[in-house]
Amino acid sequence: MLILFPFLAKAQFTISGKIINLYDKKPVAKASIFLSNTTVGGSSNDEGAFLLSDVKPGQYDMVISSVGYETLHKTLQVNQNLELSFVELTPKTVELNAVVVKPDPNWVQNYQMFKEEFFGRTPEAAQCKILNPEILDLHYDKATNELIASTVDYLEIENKALGYNLKYNLIEFKRNYRSGVLFYFGNTLYTPIKAKPSQQKKWYKARLRAYLGSSQHYFRSLLGNRLKDEGFNTMRLMRKPNPQRQPDSLIQAKLKHHRQSNLVNGRFNIQATDSLSYWAKQKQLPVSVDYLVTKPLRVDSLVKRTDVAGIFALSFNDILYIVYTRKADDGSLFNKPMNAPDHPTSLMNFNEQYAFFDANGIIINPSSIMCEGAWGVDRMAKMLPVDYDPKEVNTKP
């Protein structure tokens, strides 16, 4: 597997086909076709035919859309040239219903919160702009302390930090401020911004900085058996319940009891006050304690083959503690173990038994993992297309 990968990484293929109407089988002209989260896109001609070139091996979500038709998603596994023959689009059924639009007095505030979570709080985020924010549907749920967002059309995004224009269809976005969990996904087409050669070189270098130490960099290095050469150190982190902390249900019950008995006939109950202080301190204790095993893990203990060519599986019983040794600590991970190295660190928690990824270094089932630390704070402002080539920094614009 590790010997074959360098050959596959250099190969590039084409995807061709013809877009037709599902019912009358007539060609659909000017349909938009792109591979989600890549720079590969195009449109159908008058006969409905299309051709996508320079496609790297991997698994992709091909998105096809046209005015008056339902958007079609098609999962493709690319390891050779693909001829899709006829791709059928379903005409939309138009229903005319009375719609009452009410202004949302909290929209501006919710939009500011959304931008911070979506782009992040990095210097790159300050150079990102949504050109059509009015299409965003935003809702903040006070009961759950959760911000929810979606769109019915593509967000037009300008990223002047990395030199891309993005078309982004936000399918789901949830930021829970109580649990601290952020989850979002969508379909993206990256288009490099045209500029003078001097500006292009600056963008090449900015993209390389964003790539180095990223999850995309890590998975590519993992598959190529080059973790150490590329500056990564992967260790085991064991997260156990804090033995000094009482169960949360008990803490809440004790706090409620002692708050109610704190005042007796208008006077402070000293014993209850002391107990209240004790249980308040219990609540402040961390729920878990981390134990770091500093011996590096072997690649063959992490990566497994699958029965699908070009798709690989990552599995681990504890938490992966991933350190990128070629940058100084960025402070993105709080409460580091005492024996942790002083470099940018990411924690990968597994929600499912396997996280599947392709040769481009992209997780196919993103809900299978949850990241903390450096990868946890990286947002859309620092995201690169899955077909990004770090060698572009050495090319001439």
Side-chain angles (χ1 to χ4, degrees):
M1 174 184 71
L2 300 176
I3 294 173
L4 290 175
F5 173 68
F7 169 77
L8 289 174
K10 294 179 182 178
Q12 290 186 330
F13 304 107
T14 62
I15 302 173
S16 59
K18 185 174 182 179
I19 313 297
I20 62 173
N21 186 306
L22 172 64
Y23 299 127
D24 61 16
K25 310 303 178 184
K26 291 183 178 179
V28 178
K30 298 181 180 180
S32 171
I33 308 104
F34 69 92
L35 303 183
S36 182
N37 302 319
T38 74
T39 57
V40 178
S43 59
S44 59
N45 61 19
D46 291 341
E47 286 74 40
F50 70 91
L51 175 67
L52 303 180
S53 304
D54 300 326
V55 181
K56 295 181 179 180
Q59 181 168 304
Y60 298 96
D61 176 20
M62 185 173 73
V63 184
I64 304 174
S65 61
S66 182
V67 176
Y69 293 88
E70 300 288 348
T71 298
L72 176 67
H73 293 262
K74 193 175 183 67
T75 301
L76 300 177
Q77 180 62 42
V78 179
N79 47 42
Q80 61 182 353
N81 293 333
L82 296 182
E83 169 57 60
L84 301 180
S85 186
F86 297 106
V87 180
E88 298 174 328
L89 292 187
T90 304
K92 287 183 178 179
T93 301
V94 179
E95 294 183 1
L96 299 178
N97 296 317
V99 178
V100 178
V101 180
K102 296 182 179 180
D104 182 358
N106 299 316
W107 191 91
V108 174
Q109 178 182 345
N110 292 340
Y111 179 57
Q112 293 301 320
M113 294 166 62
F114 170 81
K115 286 197 300 180
E116 283 193 2
E117 300 296 343
F118 187 64
F119 290 129
R121 297 173 178 83
T122 61
E124 291 85 356
Q127 300 183 62
C128 294
K129 183 179 181 181
I130 299 177
L131 303 180
N132 56 341
E134 67 278 357
I135 72 169
L136 270 168
D137 184 14
L138 299 168
H139 173 67
Y140 177 73
D141 190 331
K142 292 183 179 180
T144 60
N145 201 9
E146 189 172 58
L147 178 66
I148 301 171
S150 63
T151 61
V152 294
D153 202 351
Y154 289 92
L155 288 172
E156 301 287 344
I157 300 172
E158 183 180 68
N159 184 341
K160 288 191 174 181
L162 301 183
Y164 291 113
N165 286 322
L166 283 67
K167 286 179 60 178
Y168 189 89
N169 181 26
L170 182 64
I171 298 173
E172 184 175 358
F173 176 100
K174 292 183 178 181
R175 173 63 162 107
N176 192 299
Y177 293 92
R178 183 174 299 165
S179 65
V181 174
L182 169 67
F183 177 77
Y184 66 93
F185 73 96
N187 306 120
T188 319
L189 174 63
Y190 290 80
T191 303
I193 299 175
K194 295 181 180 180
K196 295 180 180 179
S198 59
Q199 179 60 61
Q200 290 287 1
K201 288 185 177 181
K202 291 180 181 178
W203 281 333
Y204 290 164
K205 293 179 180 179
R207 293 170 191 169
L208 184 61
R209 285 194 301 269
Y211 173 77
L212 294 176
S214 66
S215 60
Q216 187 178 21
H217 183 198
Y218 177 80
F219 280 107
R220 290 183 180 182
S221 303
L222 178 65
L223 192 56
N225 197 17
R226 292 181 51 83
L227 287 179
K228 185 177 180 181
D229 294 339
E230 294 292 332
F232 289 103
N233 189 4
T234 305
M235 296 171 280
R236 179 191 301 269
L237 185 76
M238 295 182 290
R239 180 165 287 173
K240 306 293 184 181
N242 187 351
Q244 298 180 353
R245 192 180 193 273
Q246 298 290 343
D248 195 63
S249 57
L250 178 61
I251 292 174
Q252 297 298 335
K254 290 292 186 180
L255 284 173
K256 181 179 180 180
H257 170 74
H258 291 298
R259 282 169 182 158
Q260 291 175 348
S261 60
N262 195 28
L263 285 174
V264 179
N265 297 325
R267 296 182 180 182
F268 282 104
N269 184 333
I270 301 299
Q271 184 177 359
T273 302
D274 291 342
S275 297
L276 184 62
S277 176
Y278 169 80
W279 289 104
K281 290 178 180 178
Q282 276 283 311
K283 186 177 181 180
Q284 298 302 317
L285 290 176
V287 176
S288 60
V289 179
D290 292 344
Y291 303 91
L292 179 62
V293 182
T294 57
K295 182 180 179 180
L297 296 167
R298 292 176 51 181
V299 171
D300 58 8
S301 70
L302 303 175
V303 183
K304 307 295 181 185
R305 284 180 177 271
T306 72
D307 56 359
V308 179
I311 302 298
F312 308 91
L314 181 70
S315 181
F316 196 62
N317 291 331
D318 290 310
I319 298 172
L320 289 179
Y321 192 93
I322 301 162
V323 179
Y324 184 62
T325 62
R326 296 183 181 174
K327 290 181 180 179
D329 186 10
D330 57 2
S332 58
L333 184 64
F334 300 103
N335 301 321
K336 278 189 174 184
M338 294 297 292
N339 59 338
D342 191 22
H343 297 287
T345 303
S346 301
L347 272 59
M348 188 185 301
N349 298 269
F350 286 78
N351 298 324
E352 301 173 16
Q353 183 177 0
Y354 294 104
F356 297 101
F357 66 101
D358 66 7
N360 292 317
I362 302 302
I363 293 289
I364 295 171
N365 54 334
S367 62
S368 64
I369 61 171
M370 183 172 66
C371 294
E372 303 174 40
W375 296 348
V377 299
D378 283 349
R379 307 289 166 80
M380 281 301 299
K382 296 180 70 174
M383 291 297 167
L384 294 162
V386 303
D387 54 351
Y388 168 74
D389 184 358
K391 294 181 180 179
E392 74 171 9
V393 72
N394 298 318
T395 62
K396 293 183 179 180

